[in-house]
Amino acid sequence: MVVGGAVKVGVSEVTQQEVVTPGASEPTTGGGMRGLLQPLSSLSFIRTDSTIEGTRSGSTMISSAPTGKRSYRRLALASRITLVVFLLVLATLASLLLYRVLKWNETRFAKEQFVSMGDRASQSVLNLVSRKRLSMASFSAVISEQHPNPEMWPNVHVDGFGRIVDVIAKSGLHEQMGFAPILSYDGLREWEDHAYAYFLSRPDYFPNNTAVNPPFGRGVWRIGPNKTRVHDNDELTRDRGLLLPVFQCCIDNPGDRIRLFNLYSEPKRRKAIDGVINCTRSLRERYLFNESVNRFPDYSCGSQTEFTRIVRFEHRGPAAVMMQPIFPADDPWNIAGIVLSPIVYDEIFEDVFDRDLTGVHAVLESEESKYTYTITDGLVESFQKGDVHDAQFNDLAQSTYLTWTDLEDIAPMPRLKLTMYPTDGYIKAYSTDNPLNAALAALFAVIFATMLFLLYDFFVRSEISERRQLLDAKRRFVRYVSHEVRTPLNAVIMGLACLRSDLDNQRLVNSSEEDNLNGLSESLGLLEDIEMSANSAVEVLNEVLQYDKIERSALKLELSMVEIFDTVEKTVSEFKLPAAKKEIHLKVTYEADNSNNTRHATQAGDEIVVVSSAGDLPRHVRDLYAVADSSRICQIIRNLVSNALKFTSNQGRVLVRISYCNAPIMNSLKHRQQTRSGKRTSKGSDGSKVTVKLNNGDKIDVEPRGHVLMTICDSGAGMTSEQLDSLFGEGVQFNADRLQGGNGSGLGLHITKNLIEQHHGTLDAHSEGLGRGSTFTLSLPLFSAPDYKSFQENFVPCSPNDSFTQRNLRILVVDDVLSNRKLLCRLLERKGHRCDMAENGQRALDAIKSDTEGGYHCILIDFEMPVLNGPDAVRRIREDLGCDVFIVGVTGNMLTEDVEYFISRGANCVLPKPVQLPILEELLVEHGV
C-alpha cells in the first residue's frame, strides 16, 4: 500500500492517452472527500468545463482558455450592467406605482371609515329622534288617561305636570316639554278663565302671575304687526277657526314668556299643526269602520315644524318644534290637544361622534332652507346657513330623514334630511408617511436585493465551479477507493485460489522432496504477497480515517520523549530491502557540530561531524529529545522515504540526510496553543525552560535546544511549480496510474504535513522541474531533559534471559460472520488459548450466564450484529450481569464517534478489523489479563 500523497510526474511517462475527454475512460486519480474542494482544475489530469482544448507542452497537460473567453466575459459584464440598470429603473417605477397604490388605499380606507362612521352616526341620530318621539307619545298617553272624557276638553290641566315632565323629559333627552289644548274662538273666554284660575291656584309656581299678564292684558296672545304681543281674539284671527295656546310648560322656567302663546298663529307652526290634524282625520276615515282597530296606531301623526326661531335657543342655531297629538281615552278617534317640545339640532350630534373625529360637514336640509354644521373633535364647532360642503365628496354623502315619512301619503308633513360629508381634514387625518416610506423602502430593498443578487451571482458562479470540481473529485475518489480496495483484495483472492490449487495438486501428484520444498517456498512467497495486498487495502481505510480525524481536529498526539536520531535510523533501515529490490542506492548520513554549547547558531570554524550511524553522533546531540508521538513520527518518516523510493526509477538514488541545527525553527506558521492532555502546557522559544505533559501523565521540564533537519533527496520524476503549489492538498495525485501503479490515496502528504505542524515542525518540498528529482525537508524542535535523562539512567532494563510466563486464556469470540469467528478462534488456539464462539450479543449473554468453568478472561465482540449488537451487549454484560471481564471491541467501524460509543457502553478498548494478534497480545499484557 502506498502511503504518500506526493506523486511526481516523469517526463517520459506521459502519453497522449492521459488526455481526459468527455465520455472517455479516465485514469484512476486521487480524490478525497471534503479536501477535494480545493481547485482541482490546476492539476494536469483533471479536465473541467472550462477546459476547451488540451495541448501538450513537454509532458504536462495544459488547459488553454478559449480565444473568445475575454469577449464572453465582457458580454457577461455588459449583460449584468444592463440587468442592474433595468432593475433600478423598474424599481423606481414600481416604487412610484406602490406609492400611488398605497395613497389610494389610504384614501379608500378613509372613505370606507367615513361611510362606516356615517352609518353609525345616522343610526345614532335616528335613535335619538325616535327616543324623543317615544317620550312625547308617552306624555300624550299620560294626558289621555288623566282626562279620558272628551267633554272635559279643552278645560283640562295635567296634574303633577312638573314631576311627570321631569321624568319623561330626561328619558327622551328633551330640554323642554309642553301641553297645548285645541280650542275654538267660541270657547276662548271660558278657557282663559279656566287657565287663569289654574295659574292663580299656583302662586308658588307662578309668583306674581309671571308671564300671564302681557301688556295688552290677560288672555291668549300672538305676535302683532309691530312684533308686539296682541290678544288673539280679533276678526282677523277668528277666520283661522282654531287656537292652540301653550298652557303647561317650561318646568325649569315658570316665567317663560311663551306661556299662552297661540301656536296656531305662527305660520310654520300652523303648517305643522294642520299636518297633524289632517293626518288624524285621514286615519280616522281609514280605521273608523274597521272593527279590528279600536284606536290609532302608536306614534301616529307625530310631526315637527320647519326650521323656526326659538328665542331662548337662537344662539345655538336652527331649531324646530316637535308635536304629538293627544286623543282622549274615551274618544280615541278625535284629537283634543298636542304635546310639544323644542329641538335644537346641535343637540342631536352630542355623543354621536368619537371625540377624536375631525373634519365632517353635517348638512340639515328642509324644504325651505339648509344649514351646515362643522364637526371638530366629535362636537359641533360652528354652523352656517346654506350647504357649504366640498362637492368632490358628493359620492360619499350619507343621508337619512329625521322626520316621519310613514304617513306622508295621508297628510303631507315637513321633511327634514340630514346628510354628512367628509372634508379634506378628515381624509388627511388618515394620510400618513407610510406610502412614501414604503416606496422608498421598496426602492432601497430592490437596490439592496440587486447588490445581493450581484454577490449571489458571484458566489453562485464560484460555487458552481467548485461544486462541479467537487462532484468530479468525489466521483474520482469513489472510483479510486473502490480500485484501491479491490486491487489488493483481488490479489488476496487469486493468491488463495493458487494456494488451494497447489494443495489439490500436491494431493493428487506424488512429488519429490525437492519439488515439495520448491512448492513450499513458492507458497510462502505467495502468502507474503497476499499479506502485503491485504495490508494495502487496510492502509487505504486507515488513511481515510486519519484524514477524517485531522479535518475534525480529533487526532490526539500521545506525547513522549522520543530519541529522534535513533528513531529515524531504525525507521529508515526498514527501507533498505525495498530499495535493494529496485536497485536504488539509499544513503543515510548524520551531521552535527562537535561543540557542546548552547549557542543559537553555529559559529564559523565549528567542527561539523558527518557520520553514517546515529550512534556515532556526539553525546550532547544524542542526548536531545523530540517531544512527540513516536508512532506518528515513524509514520511521517515512512511516508517521506516510501514516496522517494516509489517515484524513483530503478538504479536511481535516494539520499537521507539528518542534521542537527543549534538554532530555533524559522517558522512563520502560527502554532496552535491547545491545552489538552498530551499537549505542551507551556512553551519557550528563547531557550527558557518549558514544562510538557506526557501521555502517561508525567510532567517534564525541558529546555529548547535547536532542531533536527531531515532532508530526503531523490532522483525521481520531479514536479512543476504548479504541482508544488498544490502538493500538500487533500487527495492530490499526479498521474497515479503511471507513477504509482494505481496505488496511493492522495492523502499521505496532507496527513503528514498536518502531523508535523501538530508537532510544531515544518515540511517543505522543492523540485527543479520534471525529471530532475525532488527534495523534502522536515524540521522538528529538539529539547534537552536532564530530569528525564537521569530517570532513564536509573531505569534497569530487563535482562535478555528474563522470560514471561504466558497464560492460557479462555476467550469468547462474538461475531455474526462464521468465517471471522472460526479464523480468529483458530489463530488464538494456536497461541494456546481456549475459545468459545457466539453469533450475536444475545448468544454471548447466554454463554456468560451458562458458563460453569469460572468465567472468561477476555471477550472479543463485534459492533454490528443481528438480534443484539455489540455496544448494547457490552452494556448488559456490565449492568445486568455485573461482569468485569476484559472486553475488546473488534469492528470495522473505526470512526471516532463509533469508538467512543463502544467504550462508553463498557468496552475496555477497541481494535480495528482485521485483528493483529501482536497488538491484541500487547493489550492483554498491558491490562494484566
Side-chain angles (χ1 to χ4, degrees):
M1 172 60 197
V2 176
V3 180
V7 183
K8 297 87 178 177
V9 181
V11 176
S12 62
E13 296 176 337
V14 180
T15 66
Q16 184 64 32
Q17 294 176 352
E18 295 171 19
V19 181
V20 181
T21 56
S25 176
E26 300 173 343
T28 304
T29 61
M33 303 173 292
R34 187 184 65 81
L36 295 175
L37 282 170
Q38 294 184 354
L40 300 179
S41 58
S42 62
L43 306 185
S44 61
F45 70 93
I46 295 182
R47 176 188 179 94
T48 63
D49 289 348
S50 62
T51 304
I52 306 301
E53 65 174 322
T55 62
R56 294 179 59 191
S57 175
S59 62
T60 305
M61 292 287 300
I62 299 177
S63 299
S64 60
T67 56
K69 188 172 184 180
R70 183 173 301 175
S71 299
Y72 171 78
R73 289 180 178 177
R74 290 177 180 176
L75 179 61
L77 178 62
S79 64
R80 285 178 175 82
I81 293 175
T82 303
L83 177 62
V84 170
V85 173
F86 172 75
L87 289 176
L88 292 179
V89 173
L90 185 63
T92 303
L93 295 177
S95 298
L96 291 175
L97 179 61
L98 177 63
Y99 176 78
R100 296 281 185 177
V101 170
L102 292 179
K103 273 297 183 183
W104 179 82
N105 281 335
E106 280 190 346
T107 303
R108 181 176 60 85
F109 178 73
K111 292 179 178 180
E112 290 177 352
Q113 289 295 103
F114 177 79
V115 171
S116 176
M117 180 278 302
D119 289 339
R120 294 194 305 270
S122 298
Q123 188 62 44
S124 298
V125 171
L126 284 176
N127 291 338
L128 177 63
V129 173
S130 298
R131 188 174 177 180
K132 289 178 177 291
R133 182 180 177 186
L134 176 62
S135 60
M136 293 183 68
S138 300
F139 190 28
S140 174
V142 170
I143 298 175
S144 174
E145 293 299 329
Q146 275 196 9
H147 304 287
N149 186 1
E151 299 298 331
M152 299 174 57
W153 289 78
N155 299 327
V156 298
H157 64 272
V158 179
D159 294 331
F161 176 84
R163 183 178 180 185
I164 294 173
V165 169
D166 183 58
V167 174
I168 294 178
K170 289 180 179 179
S171 65
L173 301 179
H174 296 278
E175 296 193 30
Q176 292 290 343
M177 294 188 74
F179 156 58
I182 298 177
L183 54 105
S184 64
Y185 281 93
D186 293 338
L188 177 59
R189 179 67 63 178
E190 181 181 357
W191 185 85
E192 289 177 342
D193 293 339
H194 164 75
Y196 276 89
Y198 174 74
F199 294 149
L200 292 173
S201 66
R202 301 292 301 275
D204 56 330
Y205 199 74
F206 301 104
N208 301 320
N209 296 327
T210 305
V212 296
N213 289 315
F216 63 85
R218 53 177 264 168
V220 176
W221 58 275
R222 61 179 175 83
I223 300 298
N226 297 325
K227 295 185 179 181
T228 59
R229 297 186 181 192
V230 297
H231 191 225
D232 195 2
N233 191 20
D234 53 19
E235 294 296 331
L236 178 63
T237 58
R238 280 181 173 270
D239 294 338
R240 293 194 293 268
L242 296 176
L243 293 96
L244 272 86
V246 178
F247 181 30
Q248 290 176 290
C249 74
C250 313
I251 58 174
D252 62 337
N253 186 12
D256 199 310
R257 299 176 62 188
I258 192 65
R259 203 174 309 280
L260 297 183
F261 171 67
N262 181 15
L263 299 175
Y264 203 69
S265 66
E266 197 274 320
K268 291 183 178 181
R269 292 171 173 80
R270 181 167 61 248
K271 180 180 179 180
I273 293 170
D274 288 340
V276 172
I277 293 174
N278 293 333
C279 175
T280 59
R281 290 174 180 172
S282 299
L283 284 178
R284 182 173 63 247
E285 293 174 359
R286 174 180 294 183
Y287 295 114
L288 183 60
F289 301 104
N290 188 344
E291 296 180 357
S292 61
V293 179
N294 56 12
R295 59 178 296 162
F296 285 119
D298 292 336
Y299 322 128
S300 296
C301 298
S303 183
Q304 66 186 48
T305 66
E306 292 272 0
F307 295 129
T308 187
R309 176 174 176 267
I310 299 179
V311 177
R312 184 177 179 183
F313 307 112
E314 190 171 10
H315 64 285
R316 291 171 51 186
V321 179
M322 300 180 66
M323 300 179 182
Q324 180 67 34
I326 302 172
F327 302 99
D330 294 343
D331 187 10
W333 299 107
N334 291 300
I335 183 173
I338 290 177
V339 173
L340 60 138
S341 174
I343 177 173
V344 185
Y345 286 105
D346 64 351
E347 70 182 71
I348 67 174
F349 300 115
E350 293 182 5
D351 301 324
V352 169
F353 303 104
D354 295 334
R355 286 294 178 259
D356 57 351
L357 179 70
T358 297
V360 175
H361 279 155
V363 179
L364 279 174
E365 179 181 356
S366 68
E367 297 175 358
E368 297 180 356
S369 59
K370 299 178 180 179
Y371 288 89
T372 301
Y373 291 86
T374 300
I375 307 299
T376 301
D377 295 331
L379 299 174
V380 175
E381 179 186 36
S382 62
F383 70 92
Q384 52 188 313
K385 192 170 185 179
D387 185 353
V388 296
H389 81 276
D390 194 337
Q392 66 172 322
F393 300 117
N394 285 343
D395 58 327
L396 297 177
Q398 300 294 303
S399 301
T400 185
Y401 284 95
L402 303 182
T403 52
W404 295 269
T405 59
D406 50 348
L407 300 176
E408 189 176 28
D409 58 329
I410 298 177
M413 297 182 182
R415 301 189 64 183
L416 183 65
K417 183 171 72 171
L418 171 65
T419 305
M420 286 179 282
Y421 302 92
T423 64
D424 283 333
Y426 182 89
I427 301 299
K428 289 180 180 179
Y430 287 87
S431 178
T432 65
D433 293 332
N434 292 338
L436 178 60
N437 294 336
L440 292 177
L443 179 61
F444 288 129
V446 173
I447 294 175
F448 181 69
T450 303
M451 300 301 295
L452 286 181
F453 167 76
L454 294 177
L455 289 175
Y456 175 77
D457 177 67
F458 171 77
F459 288 117
V460 163
R461 285 187 285 113
S462 300
E463 178 69 17
I464 289 175
S465 177
E466 292 180 1
R467 187 168 295 181
R468 186 182 294 116
Q469 296 175 17
L470 172 63
L471 292 176
D472 185 67
K474 282 184 176 180
R475 179 171 56 85
R476 283 174 167 77
F477 178 76
V478 171
R479 289 179 59 195
Y480 183 76
V481 170
S482 175
H483 174 272
E484 289 304 307
V485 174
R486 289 177 183 274
T487 298
L489 289 181
N490 180 60
V492 171
I493 293 173
M494 289 191 300
L496 292 175
C498 290
L499 283 177
R500 181 175 181 179
S501 176
D502 291 344
L503 292 175
D504 291 340
N505 291 335
Q506 288 181 5
R507 287 199 300 266
L508 297 176
V509 180
N510 293 324
S511 303
S512 64
E513 182 177 355
E514 182 178 358
D515 292 337
N516 290 336
L517 290 176
N518 292 334
L520 179 60
S521 176
E522 291 179 0
S523 298
L524 290 175
L526 190 58
L527 286 174
E528 183 179 352
D529 293 338
I530 291 174
E531 185 177 8
M532 290 179 60
S533 298
N535 288 334
S536 296
V538 173
E539 190 64 27
V540 170
L541 301 179
N542 289 339
E543 286 195 354
V544 172
L545 290 176
Q546 280 191 2
Y547 169 81
D548 177 69
K549 289 182 178 180
I550 288 175
E551 291 303 305
R552 295 188 297 106
S553 299
L555 185 62
K556 297 181 180 180
L557 300 180
E558 298 180 358
L559 295 183
S560 62
M561 303 300 291
V562 178
E563 295 178 340
I564 187 65
F565 297 101
D566 292 340
T567 301
V568 171
E569 184 176 35
K570 186 182 300 183
T571 305
V572 175
S573 65
E574 299 173 3
F575 294 90
K576 290 182 178 180
L577 183 59
K581 287 183 178 180
K582 292 186 66 176
E583 299 180 355
I584 294 176
H585 177 60
L586 176 61
K587 182 179 180 180
V588 183
T589 62
Y590 299 84
E591 298 179 0
D593 60 349
N594 196 25
S595 59
N596 187 7
N597 58 59
T598 59
R599 290 169 294 176
H600 294 297
T602 301
Q603 301 295 324
D606 283 346
E607 181 182 355
I608 302 299
V609 176
V610 180
V611 295
S612 60
S613 173
D616 296 332
L617 287 170
R619 183 67 180 178
H620 73 277
V621 175
R622 294 188 58 197
D623 289 342
L624 299 179
Y625 299 90
V627 180
D629 186 330
S630 60
S631 63
R632 300 301 180 189
I633 294 297
C634 292
Q635 177 183 348
I636 292 169
I637 298 171
R638 290 190 186 102
N639 193 359
L640 296 176
V641 177
S642 66
N643 278 345
L645 294 176
K646 184 191 316 176
F647 300 113
T648 301
S649 59
N650 292 351
Q651 298 180 355
R653 291 180 300 104
V654 174
L655 172 62
V656 180
R657 184 171 60 249
I658 300 95
S659 304
Y660 167 66
C661 299
N662 191 15
I665 299 175
M666 301 304 294
N667 182 14
S668 60
L669 177 67
K670 186 176 182 179
H671 296 194
R672 288 172 283 180
Q673 301 296 318
Q674 299 179 353
T675 56
R676 62 186 183 191
S677 177
K679 290 295 181 183
R680 293 174 173 83
T681 57
S682 62
K683 178 185 177 183
S685 60
D686 56 353
S688 60
K689 287 187 177 182
V690 296
T691 301
V692 295
K693 183 178 181 181
L694 304 183
N695 188 61
N696 59 8
D698 294 339
K699 291 184 178 181
I700 304 295
D701 291 331
V702 297
E703 185 176 350
R705 282 291 182 268
H707 66 279
V708 62
L709 194 67
M710 181 176 178
T711 305
I712 300 98
C713 301
D714 64 67
S715 59
M719 289 175 286
T720 65
S721 59
E722 292 81 6
Q723 291 172 339
L724 286 172
D725 291 339
S726 59
L727 180 62
F728 297 106
E730 304 100 319
V732 175
Q733 287 183 309
F734 308 118
N735 197 5
D737 284 340
R738 301 285 295 179
L739 301 176
Q740 294 177 251
N743 293 327
S745 63
L747 299 174
L749 279 181
H750 177 72
I751 294 173
T752 298
K753 188 172 180 64
N754 276 274
L755 289 174
I756 292 174
E757 289 176 355
Q758 288 198 47
H759 286 85
H760 304 287
T762 62
L763 177 62
D764 299 306
H766 173 72
S767 177
E768 295 184 0
L770 297 176
R772 304 184 66 177
S774 303
T775 300
F776 286 82
T777 303
L778 162 67
S779 62
L780 287 173
L782 294 179
F783 302 87
S784 65
D787 295 339
Y788 184 76
K789 178 181 176 182
S790 62
F791 171 78
Q792 292 291 91
E793 292 175 348
N794 294 329
F795 176 74
V796 180
C798 296
S799 171
N801 297 323
D802 291 344
S803 61
F804 297 93
T805 302
Q806 180 174 342
R807 296 182 57 191
N808 295 328
L809 307 178
R810 286 194 66 216
I811 300 176
L812 176 62
V813 178
V814 187
D815 198 307
D816 58 327
V817 180
L818 177 60
S819 60
N820 289 346
R821 298 197 302 270
K822 292 174 65 177
L823 289 173
L824 183 55
C825 287
R826 186 173 179 180
L827 291 174
L828 292 172
E829 288 171 352
R830 288 183 177 180
K831 294 291 183 178
H833 305 299
R834 295 170 54 198
C835 298
D836 292 334
M837 295 186 293
E839 61 196 50
N840 56 58
Q842 185 59 50
R843 292 293 179 88
L845 289 174
D846 297 340
I848 296 173
K849 291 178 182 178
S850 60
D851 179 63
T852 59
E853 299 183 26
Y856 293 99
H857 298 96
C858 177
I859 298 176
L860 305 179
I861 186 167
D862 190 18
F863 193 116
E864 302 290 349
M865 294 182 294
V867 183
L868 186 64
N869 64 29
D872 291 340
V874 171
R875 180 187 60 81
R876 294 182 59 180
I877 290 173
R878 297 300 192 204
E879 297 179 0
D880 298 349
L881 303 182
C883 182
D884 60 353
V885 64
F886 185 72
I887 300 178
V888 179
V890 180
T891 176
N893 299 348
M894 289 304 293
L895 292 178
T896 303
E897 54 268 25
D898 296 327
V899 174
E900 292 177 350
Y901 177 70
F902 218 143
I903 293 177
S904 68
R905 307 299 276 183
N908 295 94
C909 55
V910 179
L911 291 179
K913 289 183 177 179
V915 178
Q916 301 290 331
L917 281 186
I919 297 178
L920 176 59
E921 290 177 343
E922 288 180 5
L923 284 176
L924 295 176
V925 173
E926 179 182 348
H927 289 82
V929 179

